[in-house]
Amino acid sequence: MEIKQIGNFQAIALILIIVINHLVLGTPRTLIAETGTGTILNMFYVFLVTIILVFIVTKLFNNFKGKDIVDISEFLGGKVLKFIVGIIYILYFLLILSTTVRIIVQDLEIIYFENVSISVLTLLIIASIVFVYKYGSSAIIKCNSIIAPIAGIIILVIAFSNIQDFSLDRIFPILGFGAKETFITGASNIFAYSGLAILYFIMPMLKDSRNFKKISIVSTILIGILIIGSVSSLVLSFPYIENINEISSLYVESRDISYWQVFQRIDGIFVFSWILALLSYISVVLFFIVIIFRKLTNTKKEFPVVLAFAALTYAATLIPNNIFMIRFLEDVVFKYTNIIVAIFSSFIILILANIKYKFVNRKNNLINNEIKDMPSENLYENRNT
């Protein structure tokens, strides 16, 4: 895949589309189920932790300009670690992609497509993405740059359109299930920022790698606004939102929105943006899967790789056969896979790679200093040797 150099806005949009789909998926409901009425406070706390971690990550990348986490893994542990990390991320992206697609398609079937089977609906969606790939990666990136901000704005509009129904009484008790749940066990809600995993791969794609820090910080702030806005709206609007398990909690909220006599039901607009965001999400995740696979195998032909992973995604999407398995994937597998792979594993690799980088540099400096201090006749003899 020919990777075009992308600008700041396009890079931020690639990160946002991941989080937007996870919010539609039902992430707010999962967050609220974990910390109850303390979720708003918890989200500010998690945002603070995340912004600190992202700042540290940008510092750790300073020694690896133009490299992604797969390249850094090779520096740390050779081709073996490079292959292991690459395969782990491919499996991670496939798992997250298939889980997200299955849950969203399931919701779409309940809402609008009752007479269409999940297998057919999923096939139509994935087939359309394969068709888009014929126009190249630049088309995917440009389309996503349009879809991501529109979908993000629609989510915020939905979140605050029912402001007249907000009740501050619903945030009490402000610590939810308790201080421990809000600040200790609730720290696991950092999984909501898993879209930032794209940061580990985006450096080689940037027009100017010096903007990496700016892109990272701005993306984190925008994600924080989307997450805190969505969660706050649900907490303030519904006293028992954690019991809404059937369909997207954001969709539940959109059904009650109307603007004067002109727009009585805008949930259709939400669903339309939802479908566009899903298509863009699949394209972007497949885009990164193909990049990693080609980096590991040096495969020249792109389209057969796209077809193979599209088929794997389709097959994996159909594996869950009941609602309980789907919710287990959403509440447990999706959550903890994001925490382990997207947040902490790559962070640890970056730290270890920086330690090795400093050790190698120190060793090289010592050798250079010894050569400089060596008498010229000894240096000449060593060179002859």
Side-chain angles (χ1 to χ4, degrees):
M1 179 178 293
E2 183 182 357
I3 303 175
K4 303 293 184 182
Q5 295 297 300
I6 63 175
N8 297 357
F9 182 80
Q10 292 173 324
I12 293 170
L14 288 173
I15 297 169
L16 287 182
I17 198 65
I18 307 295
V19 177
I20 287 168
N21 274 271
H22 292 175
L23 288 174
V24 173
L25 169 75
T27 294
R29 182 189 59 80
T30 305
L31 296 171
I32 294 170
E34 182 73 27
T35 49
T37 55
T39 307
I40 297 177
L41 180 60
N42 171 262
M43 283 297 97
F44 280 102
Y45 163 68
V46 169
F47 171 75
L48 181 61
V49 172
T50 305
I51 202 79
I52 293 171
L53 287 176
V54 168
F55 181 78
I56 295 172
V57 166
T58 59
K59 290 293 183 182
L60 293 173
F61 262 104
N62 284 341
N63 293 324
F64 302 99
K65 297 291 186 183
K67 305 294 182 182
D68 62 22
I69 195 66
V70 177
D71 299 322
I72 295 171
S73 298
E74 183 176 13
F75 168 78
L76 177 62
K79 293 187 180 296
V80 174
L81 185 60
K82 173 186 176 180
F83 184 80
I84 292 173
V85 171
I87 292 297
I88 288 174
Y89 256 104
I90 287 175
L91 293 175
Y92 161 74
F93 280 132
L94 279 174
L95 175 64
I96 299 306
L97 177 59
S98 59
T99 302
T100 305
V101 171
R102 176 52 191 267
I103 295 172
I104 293 180
V105 168
Q106 180 94 23
D107 290 347
L108 287 174
E109 184 194 36
I110 294 172
I111 297 168
Y112 277 125
F113 304 100
E114 293 181 0
N115 296 323
V116 182
S117 68
I118 289 178
S119 59
V120 173
L121 193 56
T122 306
L123 181 61
L124 289 173
I125 290 173
I126 293 180
S128 65
I129 297 305
V130 172
F131 176 78
V132 169
Y133 260 88
K134 290 187 175 181
Y135 295 95
S137 58
S138 59
I140 293 170
I141 293 171
K142 289 176 181 177
C143 288
N144 182 69
S145 299
I146 298 172
I147 294 171
I150 292 175
I153 291 170
I154 289 175
I155 285 177
L156 289 178
V157 168
I158 290 172
F160 293 100
S161 289
N162 287 324
I163 195 169
Q164 71 277 2
D165 297 324
F166 287 3
S167 173
L168 291 177
D169 292 338
R170 293 179 180 136
I171 68 171
F172 297 104
I174 199 166
L175 289 177
F177 302 132
K180 178 183 176 182
E181 286 74 11
T182 300
F183 297 109
I184 300 178
T185 60
S188 63
N189 281 343
I190 197 172
F191 84 92
Y193 288 84
S194 59
L196 293 172
I198 300 300
L199 290 175
Y200 292 115
F201 296 94
I202 211 166
M203 175 81 86
M205 302 166 58
L206 299 178
K207 288 181 181 178
D208 188 349
S209 60
R210 291 174 298 181
N211 291 329
F212 179 70
K213 181 179 178 180
K214 182 192 298 182
I215 291 168
S216 303
I217 299 298
V218 171
S219 298
T220 307
I221 292 172
L222 291 176
I223 291 171
I225 292 172
L226 286 171
I227 294 174
I228 293 172
S230 300
V231 167
S232 299
S233 173
L234 293 171
V235 170
L236 294 171
S237 299
F238 301 99
Y240 303 109
I241 188 64
E242 67 271 16
N243 293 325
I244 299 176
N245 294 318
E246 291 77 15
I247 54 177
S248 167
S249 50
L250 286 176
Y251 174 75
V252 172
E253 201 170 13
S254 71
R255 289 189 304 185
D256 296 328
I257 299 173
S258 62
Y259 291 104
W260 308 288
Q261 298 298 321
V262 182
F263 299 106
Q264 290 297 312
R265 291 283 300 273
I266 70 164
D267 53 300
I269 298 175
F270 172 68
V271 172
F272 179 69
S273 70
W274 184 357
I275 294 173
L276 290 179
L278 176 62
L279 294 174
S280 189
Y281 171 82
I282 298 172
S283 303
V284 168
V285 177
L286 279 177
F287 170 71
F288 283 102
I289 289 175
V290 172
I291 287 176
I292 297 169
F293 183 81
R294 296 187 69 189
K295 188 183 287 284
L296 295 180
T297 61
N298 295 320
T299 305
K300 294 183 179 180
K301 293 185 178 180
E302 172 189 341
F303 196 65
V305 178
V306 174
L307 283 176
F309 282 108
L312 282 173
T313 301
Y314 177 71
T317 300
L318 300 180
I319 291 176
N321 55 14
N322 57 64
I323 193 67
F324 300 105
M325 184 179 292
I326 293 172
R327 292 310 168 193
F328 174 77
L329 288 173
E330 179 183 353
D331 297 337
V332 180
V333 177
F334 179 86
K335 177 177 180 177
Y336 291 103
T337 303
N338 277 319
I339 293 173
I340 294 170
V341 178
I343 298 173
F344 290 112
S345 296
S346 299
F347 187 71
I348 291 171
I349 289 172
L350 272 177
I351 292 175
L352 294 176
N354 273 271
I355 293 172
K356 180 178 180 180
Y357 180 87
K358 290 182 179 179
F359 176 78
V360 171
N361 270 9
R362 187 179 303 169
K363 184 177 180 180
N364 290 338
N365 289 335
L366 288 173
I367 293 173
N368 291 334
N369 290 335
E370 288 177 2
I371 293 175
K372 288 180 182 178
D373 295 338
M374 189 179 294
S376 58
E377 58 274 11
N378 292 344
L379 180 60
Y380 178 75
E381 290 175 2
N382 286 340
R383 284 179 177 173
N384 288 336
T385 303

